[in-house]
């Protein structure tokens, strides 16, 4: 009897296997769902029109070729090779650079606290979309002011451009959804409707990833594909509206003179690093669930093409509708074009309210927004949880522990972000989003990632790994990128972002107090300083002389069986090439 009990306890305490994607399709959909997100719909089209239309595609493609695709391939390859999370993979390949993994996971943790709030707002709008009349379509509501402008009944006038903050959609967003206060110090009370939506989104995300790749791999079949159905529907509807052609022309009309503006190149680079999800370890973790011999080389090229292609197509869907809105009001398209939350929660809803069957198009739009953001968010959760669990495999890879840790993670994020859904929470949200998830932080990590893997771990070894795993020779151009182009372009962009730094403002008029800017920079530096901090800690606590410690921390783990097994194959590849 005692032997049976001991056997049962031993079985329960057994360390579970890490697991793999059930099929290549699950991997492709998971990565596609993560990289194709809200930025493709509400940021790229705006940046394109703002920075020279079709001419913006020149710097965009330059960053795609020199940074986006090389980093995408690099991280996916390393994840598949090591079969480890975004922190422990550095212990196997270059322990000195482990701080890059910690920094990336901290940025993702910050993102988990902000991104899901956007989904909560979208869910609230979706609920309101089922009303008999869209609440942002008129000025006959208790939250409207005497200055409210109902665009559906307003005569065409060029004076409208000076009154964008008093449209019915703008007042619904600021006075009904946010009930925003006058400054960050006035926090106010929690918006209970947003709170309920936030709880609903967290529960949904929890059950999407609670079983790891077993559940994530199944959910993405819907969340990664259905947004494209909605996007096609909205694209077709938008292109059939009066004024759509003017909107599309405005979106892509080239202005070659803008290429001389450094800010245009900065924004192109920023868009690439964000939309390709590089630098923070997401692709490392998703690639780590592949089988060792998966052809990640071809997968990466197709996924990068899908990401950029989706951005361009989304621009047609967005600007065809904005062209219609400008046509209806007789104003320039530049006066109705918005980016970020301004597009999703003011400009587009206002345009939808002016169409026939507004509820239908509103539902389609917000379902698309929710699903685009949902898989990006729950994949981010998966990455953070996996990276932490891989640090303590004998403790965390046991039955039931993943679910409990994931629940603790969700609760920690939830209670930390409650201040962001108060009446003054939008100020906190924007501060957190602008500094903690800053593009400069990601650029910094990318610089040292490529230096560590390209120069210390070795570009020839990376090139050989791709050959061993996929059976294909990668284009030699990637060697040039990993050694020179990617770190130099990333470093140049990082320096320019600091030189061109402008203090954050809200709605172009509210200037934050000094303490808020200090807090913002503390958040930004928290991820950056982990890189040198972790390296100095390892150098300071190691054994032997400083030179011996440095060389030891720059070598791959000699006890790493997968790396050992592959070294012979890599050497054979080099000999064959010679």
């Amino acid at each position: 009897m005692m032997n049976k009990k001991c056997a049962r306890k031993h079985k329960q305490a057994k360390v579970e296997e890490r697991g793999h994607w059930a099929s290549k399709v699950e991997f492709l959909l998971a990565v596609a769902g993560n990289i194709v997100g809200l930025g493709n719909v509400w940021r790229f089209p705006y940046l394109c029109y703002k920075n020279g239309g079709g001419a913006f595609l020149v710097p965009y493609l330059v960053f795609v070729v020199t940074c986006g695709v090389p980093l995408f391939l690099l991280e996916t390859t390393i994840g598949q090779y090591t079969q480890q999370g975004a922190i422990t993979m550095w212990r196997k390949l270059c322990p000195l650079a482990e701080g890059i993994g910690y920094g990336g996971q901290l940025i993702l943790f910050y993102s988990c606290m902000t991104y899901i709030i956007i989904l909560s707002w979208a869910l609230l709008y979706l609920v309101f979309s089922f009303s008999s009349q869209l609440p942002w379509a008129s000025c006959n509501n208790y939250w409207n002011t005497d200055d409210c402008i109902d665009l559906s009944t307003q005569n065409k006038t060029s004076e409208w451009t000076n009154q964008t903050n008093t449209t019915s959609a703008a007042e619904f967003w600021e006075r009904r959804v946010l009930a925003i206060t006058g400054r960050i110090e006035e926090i106010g009370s929690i918006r209970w409707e947003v709170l309920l939506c936030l709880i609903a989104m967290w529960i949904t995300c929890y059950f999407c990833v609670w079983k790891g790749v077993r559940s994530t791999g199944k959910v993405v079949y819907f969340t990664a594909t259905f947004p494209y159905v909605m996007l096609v529907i909205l694209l077709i509807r938008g292109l059939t509206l009066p004024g759509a052609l003017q909107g599309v022309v405005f979106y892509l009309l080239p202005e070659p003179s803008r290429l001389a503006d450094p800010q245009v190149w900065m924004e192109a680079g920023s868009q690439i690093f964000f939309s390709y999800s590089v630098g923070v370890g997401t692709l490392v973790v998703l690639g780590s669930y592949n089988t060792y011999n998966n052809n990640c080389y071809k997968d990466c090229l197709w996924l990068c093409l899908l990401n950029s292609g989706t951005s361009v197509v989304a621009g047609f869907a967005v600007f065809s509708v904005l062209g219609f809105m400008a046509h209806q009001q007789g104003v320039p398209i530049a006066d109705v074009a918005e980016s970020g939350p301004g597009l999703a929660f003011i400009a587009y809803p206002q345009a939808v309210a002016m169409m026939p069957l507004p509820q239908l198009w509103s539902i389609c739009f917000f379902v698309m927004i929710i699903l685009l953001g949902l898989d990006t968010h729950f994949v981010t959760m998966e990455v953070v949880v996996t990276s932490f669990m891989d640090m303590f495999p004998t403790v965390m890879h046991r039955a039931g522990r993943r679910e409990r840790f994931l629940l603790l993670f969700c609760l920690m994020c939830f209670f930390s972000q409650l201040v962001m859904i108060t009446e003054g929470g939008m100020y906190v949200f924007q501060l957190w989003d602008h500094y903690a998830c800053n593009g400069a932080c990601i650029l910094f990590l990318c610089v040292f990632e490529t230096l560590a893997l390209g120069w210390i771990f070795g570009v020839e070894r990376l090139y050989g790994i791709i050959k061993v795993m996929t059976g294909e020779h990668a284009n030699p151009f990637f060697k040039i990128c990993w050694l020179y182009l990617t770190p130099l372009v990333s470093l140049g962009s990082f320096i320019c972002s600091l030189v061109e730094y402008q203090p954050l403002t809200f709605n172009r008029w509210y200037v934050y107090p000094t303490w808020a800017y200090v807090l913002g920079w503390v958040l930004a530096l928290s991820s950056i300083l982990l890189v040198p901090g972790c390296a100095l800690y390892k150098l300071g606590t190691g054994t032997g002389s400083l030179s011996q410690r440095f060389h030891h921390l720059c070598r791959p783990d000699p006890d790493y069986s997968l790396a050992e097994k592959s070294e012979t194959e890599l050497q054979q590849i080099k000999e064959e090439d010679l």
Side-chain angles (χ1 to χ4, degrees):
M1 188 70 177
M2 289 294 293
N3 289 336
K4 288 183 178 179
K5 288 183 178 179
C6 291
R8 192 179 300 115
K9 288 181 180 178
H10 177 73
K11 186 176 181 181
Q12 290 175 346
K14 183 180 178 181
V15 177
E16 296 179 336
E17 290 188 7
R18 197 168 176 276
H20 293 284
W21 299 111
S23 66
K24 178 190 278 286
V25 175
E26 289 187 2
F27 165 69
L28 293 175
L29 290 177
V31 178
N34 178 69
I35 62 177
V36 178
L38 298 180
N40 299 74
V41 173
W42 75 15
R43 193 164 186 266
F44 175 85
Y46 178 82
L47 290 179
C48 202
Y49 112 80
K50 175 186 172 186
N51 294 302
F56 178 73
L57 297 179
V58 174
Y60 180 83
L61 290 175
V62 168
F63 277 96
V64 166
V65 172
T66 60
C67 295
V69 178
L71 283 168
F72 197 100
L73 175 62
L74 176 65
E75 294 186 10
T76 307
T77 299
I78 289 302
Q80 183 171 309
Y81 173 67
T82 60
Q83 308 276 290
Q84 291 289 321
I87 296 173
T88 48
M89 76 91 171
W90 289 106
R91 297 179 182 177
K92 308 300 182 185
L93 305 183
C94 182
L96 186 68
E98 189 176 329
I100 298 172
Y102 286 110
Q105 296 314 292
L106 185 59
I107 291 174
L108 290 182
F109 172 70
Y110 292 150
S111 298
C112 285
M113 295 175 58
T114 56
Y115 204 82
I116 197 169
I117 292 180
I118 299 172
L119 304 184
S120 304
W121 293 330
L123 179 59
L124 184 59
Y125 268 77
L126 178 62
V127 172
F128 279 118
S129 298
F130 288 92
S131 306
S132 57
Q133 182 186 25
L134 295 180
W136 57 83
S138 70
C139 293
N140 302 321
N141 305 287
Y142 69 87
W143 59 82
N144 292 126
T145 65
D146 294 336
D147 297 325
C148 178
I149 299 173
D150 186 348
L151 294 183
S152 60
T153 60
Q154 187 79 3
N155 293 326
K156 291 185 178 182
T157 173
S158 59
E159 296 301 317
W160 171 77
T161 59
N162 296 323
Q163 301 168 318
T164 52
N165 289 332
T166 57
T167 63
S168 54
E171 290 201 349
F172 177 79
W173 166 241
E174 293 187 358
R175 299 176 61 83
R176 176 67 177 85
V177 176
L178 301 179
I180 193 165
T181 59
R183 52 185 182 153
I184 192 172
E185 293 89 349
E186 299 173 4
I187 290 299
S189 58
I190 289 177
R191 303 294 294 157
W192 68 269
E193 292 167 317
V194 180
L195 174 63
L196 292 178
C197 292
L198 183 63
I199 293 172
M201 296 310 303
W202 271 117
I203 292 173
T204 303
C205 288
Y206 176 83
F207 285 106
C208 284
V209 297
W210 73 316
K211 293 296 183 183
V213 291
R214 286 178 293 169
S215 56
T216 305
K218 301 299 180 289
V219 173
V220 292
Y221 277 100
F222 175 73
T223 58
T225 57
F226 197 68
Y228 283 95
V229 177
M230 296 290 99
L231 182 60
V232 170
I233 292 173
L234 292 170
L235 174 63
I236 294 173
R237 177 53 182 154
L239 293 176
T240 59
L241 292 168
L245 180 60
Q246 291 90 329
V248 170
V249 169
F250 184 79
Y251 162 51
L252 291 178
L253 184 66
E255 292 181 50
S257 61
R258 296 302 310 280
L259 296 179
D261 185 356
Q263 188 64 29
V264 173
W265 291 80
M266 280 298 304
E267 294 193 341
S270 175
Q271 176 65 13
I272 289 299
F273 282 94
F274 270 114
S275 67
Y276 276 60
S277 293
V278 294
V280 291
T282 301
L283 298 170
V284 173
V285 172
L286 296 178
S288 72
Y289 285 114
N290 280 331
T291 56
Y292 182 67
N293 295 115
N294 175 64
N295 193 337
C296 58
Y297 180 63
K298 285 187 177 179
D299 293 346
C300 290
L301 298 181
W302 282 111
L303 286 165
C304 290
L305 180 62
L306 174 69
N307 185 22
S308 294
T310 302
S311 297
V312 175
V313 172
F316 286 98
V318 169
F319 271 86
S320 60
V321 172
L322 295 181
F324 159 74
M325 185 177 179
H327 172 79
Q328 291 294 98
Q329 293 303 311
V331 298
I333 299 175
D335 294 333
V336 298
E338 285 281 357
S339 176
L343 170 68
F345 301 116
I346 299 177
Y348 206 98
Q350 187 69 72
V352 163
M354 299 162 67
M355 298 180 191
L357 301 176
Q359 289 87 350
L360 173 63
W361 308 117
S362 181
I363 290 169
C364 289
F365 178 72
F366 286 110
V367 166
M368 180 186 72
I369 290 294
I370 290 170
L371 292 179
L372 279 174
L374 184 64
D375 47 11
T376 298
H377 185 76
F378 70 66
V379 168
T380 300
M381 291 169 56
E382 174 68 43
V383 170
V384 176
V385 171
T386 295
S387 296
F388 181 84
M389 292 182 64
D390 283 350
M391 293 173 64
F392 312 99
T394 57
V395 176
M396 299 302 297
H397 288 183
R398 298 181 186 275
R401 296 194 178 178
R402 175 191 173 84
E403 292 86 344
R404 291 196 289 271
F405 175 71
L406 180 62
L407 178 61
L408 177 64
F409 175 77
C410 292
L411 290 174
M412 184 167 58
C413 289
F414 173 76
F415 286 110
S416 299
Q417 67 189 174
L418 287 179
V419 68
M420 299 183 194
I421 59 171
T422 59
E423 293 171 335
M426 188 61 176
Y427 299 106
V428 181
F429 169 85
Q430 191 184 45
L431 184 74
W432 205 272
D433 182 64
H434 185 79
Y435 287 98
C437 311
N438 198 315
C441 303
I442 298 174
L443 288 168
F444 182 86
L445 296 182
C446 287
V447 171
F448 286 91
E449 179 182 73
T450 48
L451 291 176
L453 293 176
W455 288 90
I456 300 178
F457 182 70
V459 72
E460 291 294 338
R461 184 178 277 145
L462 288 169
Y463 196 70
I465 285 171
I466 295 176
K467 171 61 179 170
V468 170
M469 293 194 305
T470 68
E472 294 192 27
H473 283 287
N475 193 308
F477 176 71
F478 287 113
K479 289 184 181 180
I480 301 173
C481 288
W482 293 332
L483 283 174
Y484 307 108
L485 293 180
T486 304
L488 286 175
V489 172
S490 301
L491 179 60
S493 301
F494 174 72
I495 294 172
C496 287
S497 67
L498 297 181
V499 172
E500 298 291 329
Y501 166 75
Q502 295 291 332
L504 175 68
T505 59
F506 181 76
N507 269 359
R508 302 184 182 91
W509 63 268
Y510 175 75
V511 178
Y512 284 79
T514 302
W515 66 264
Y517 292 120
V518 172
L519 174 61
W521 277 107
V522 169
L523 291 172
L525 291 172
S526 63
S527 57
I528 289 177
L529 293 179
L530 282 173
V531 179
C534 186
L536 291 173
Y537 174 78
K538 285 182 172 292
L539 286 170
T541 56
T543 57
S545 66
L546 183 61
S547 176
Q548 289 174 330
R549 297 176 199 174
F550 181 79
H551 283 88
H552 174 71
L553 291 171
C554 289
R555 292 202 312 266
D557 184 355
D559 298 326
Y560 186 36
S561 59
L562 184 57
E564 257 183 2
K565 171 184 156 186
S566 302
E567 283 297 331
T568 305
E569 298 178 13
L570 294 178
Q571 188 60 39
Q572 290 174 353
I573 294 296
K574 291 177 185 178
E575 291 173 358
E576 289 174 7
D577 291 342
L578 294 174

